[in-house]
Amino acid sequence: MPEHTPIGLGHKATTTTALTHSGNFHLDETLGYVVLHYALTPMGDLRARILGDVPDDCLKFQRSRDPEKIQAADIVFDVGGIYDPPKGRYDHHMKNKPLREDGTPYSAAGLLWKDYGKAAIRNLVRTQVDDATIAAIWQSIDKSLVIPIDQDDNGVAKMGRLSLADIVSACSPPWDTAELHGPEEAKRRETLGFANAATAVASHLVNTVDRVRASLKATDRVLAAYENAEDKRILVMDTGMPTEKVIFEHDLPVIYVVSPTGSGQWNVKAIPPERGAFGQRISLPEAWGGLDGKALAEVSGIPDAIFAHPARFICGAASREGALAMARRALEIDAALKSQQN
């Protein structure tokens, strides 16, 4: 949390006016608004507030370049030429723009995330978590989402095609809207576009917070399962969850992960040589590839074997014991082949 109390967080009963610029909108001010919404008024109507359909709300939101409105607003972001958080000013377009410790320029989203992000996360997390988990979620999203937005908005690095930035841009009305429909209709469509963009970004943030929370929970369980593993090459999970991220981040020598599926069977998944790469540290036996049912059971020697993918990165059995036996048998076959080659 910043040394100062961000405006609005210490006075929940009062109405806070937040303002960003009108005209063309981008991902940084769109996410900035979404962060303020969840930090200050998570139960409010994010979309209706933009469209002016909420007469009484603890957060009043404006999009304007009018100097008088900028001066009067409690929180101003991505416009105004001032970065002064205790006074609620979060612009980043000045010559001496605010920078991260590594020199990366902040965007408006990054500046608001710095001050309001943890409060937003606390209002979004659907289960009871401690402050350390809130901080870990904040850090993960800062790294995976907010820093790329900072970089994109400041011309450091593009987020890439079909990114969240592209989704927001696609919500803007075409350049000739005023020419075709008149200035008033163009302004209405611009406001509607921002509401659509904010709705999409809000959905992404809500889902991301919950997925990061679950990922942190998975980390604890994966490490515990690894600690209890009889053979550190075989990781047995009693519940399906992401494991590859933890395996590579903690440099675990896991070859196969055994876990249940939603259909009741148990799968054996081979870990790739590098995170996100094709291939496997040790592929499943060549003789198993593409077989299923009785044929696979006969070749593998595992009575309840169900299938083995032709690419030999995953196979399955009807029981936990059967899947674990397949993983052990695959390691035995690999060891025997290597022994013959030597």
Side-chain angles (χ1 to χ4, degrees):
M1 231 13 209
E3 294 181 0
H4 63 279
T5 299
I7 290 175
L9 291 183
H11 305 87
K12 293 290 182 83
T14 63
T15 298
T16 301
T17 299
L19 180 146
T20 191
H21 60 81
S22 55
N24 291 336
F25 53 84
H26 305 94
L27 176 55
D28 75 319
E29 73 265 27
T30 306
L31 177 60
Y33 165 66
V34 169
V35 170
L36 288 175
H37 166 79
Y38 285 116
L40 302 179
T41 57
M43 301 306 293
D45 193 325
L46 175 144
R47 182 183 180 85
R49 187 187 300 115
I50 297 170
L51 298 174
D53 296 334
V54 182
D56 298 311
D57 194 4
C58 290
L59 177 62
K60 182 179 179 182
F61 178 62
Q62 299 175 336
R63 297 178 64 244
S64 176
R65 295 184 184 273
D66 184 334
E68 292 186 2
K69 290 184 178 180
I70 292 174
Q71 178 67 28
D74 299 305
I75 301 172
V76 177
F77 58 100
D78 210 42
V79 70
I82 301 172
Y83 174 57
D84 191 349
K87 295 182 179 179
R89 269 40 189 173
Y90 294 91
D91 198 11
H92 67 107
H93 293 102
M94 64 287 292
K95 182 177 181 181
N96 295 321
K97 58 180 61 180
L99 305 175
R100 290 177 175 268
E101 291 184 0
D102 64 358
T104 301
Y106 277 103
S107 69
L111 295 175
L112 289 172
W113 183 249
K114 181 180 179 183
D115 276 12
Y116 293 91
K118 291 178 183 176
I121 292 168
R122 193 172 299 282
N123 287 329
L124 283 172
V125 172
R126 300 164 187 172
T127 59
Q128 189 69 30
V129 297
D130 57 21
D131 288 345
T133 300
I134 294 293
I137 295 172
W138 183 94
Q139 187 66 49
S140 176
I141 295 176
D142 188 61
K143 180 180 179 181
S144 65
L145 176 64
V146 181
I147 290 178
I149 292 172
D150 288 347
Q151 293 173 330
D152 185 276
D153 196 72
N154 285 285
V156 176
K158 294 288 290 182
M159 290 187 73
R161 294 189 62 189
L162 303 180
S163 66
L164 194 58
D166 277 356
I167 292 172
V168 168
S169 294
C171 292
S172 299
W175 68 269
D176 60 349
T177 301
E179 179 180 300
L180 294 175
H181 305 286
E184 287 301 315
E185 177 62 14
K187 184 177 180 180
R188 189 193 71 80
R189 294 191 183 193
E190 176 194 295
T191 300
L192 179 61
F194 188 88
N196 291 339
T199 301
V201 171
S203 178
H204 182 77
L205 181 62
V206 169
N207 292 334
T208 299
V209 166
D210 204 37
R211 290 179 69 85
V212 172
R213 175 205 56 77
S215 176
L216 293 172
K217 182 178 179 181
T219 297
D220 293 338
R221 293 198 181 181
V222 170
L223 293 178
Y226 177 76
E227 184 67 25
N228 294 326
E230 295 181 12
D231 185 337
K232 301 300 185 185
R233 298 172 299 174
I234 302 175
L235 183 69
V236 182
M237 304 299 302
D238 290 327
T239 304
M241 66 184 66
T243 58
E244 189 173 306
K245 177 175 181 286
V246 185
I247 288 169
F248 284 101
E249 286 183 351
H250 293 266
D251 197 25
L252 306 182
V254 175
I255 304 300
Y256 300 125
V257 175
V258 176
S259 62
T261 69
S263 61
Q265 72 181 44
W266 286 69
N267 284 348
V268 180
K269 185 177 180 182
I271 297 300
E274 297 176 356
R275 186 178 176 186
F278 289 109
Q280 301 83 41
R281 287 178 171 176
I282 296 179
S283 299
L284 293 167
E286 185 175 1
W288 297 4
L291 299 182
D292 58 24
K294 183 178 180 180
L296 178 60
E298 291 178 352
V299 171
S300 67
I302 310 300
D304 65 347
I306 295 176
F307 82 100
H309 195 281
R312 298 157 54 204
F313 72 93
I314 191 170
C315 64
S319 67
R320 180 182 188 275
E321 294 72 19
L324 185 55
M326 293 184 83
R328 290 170 175 162
R329 186 68 54 81
L331 289 176
E332 291 171 359
I333 293 172
D334 179 71
L337 288 174
K338 289 178 178 176
S339 177
Q340 294 174 4
Q341 293 171 357
N342 293 334

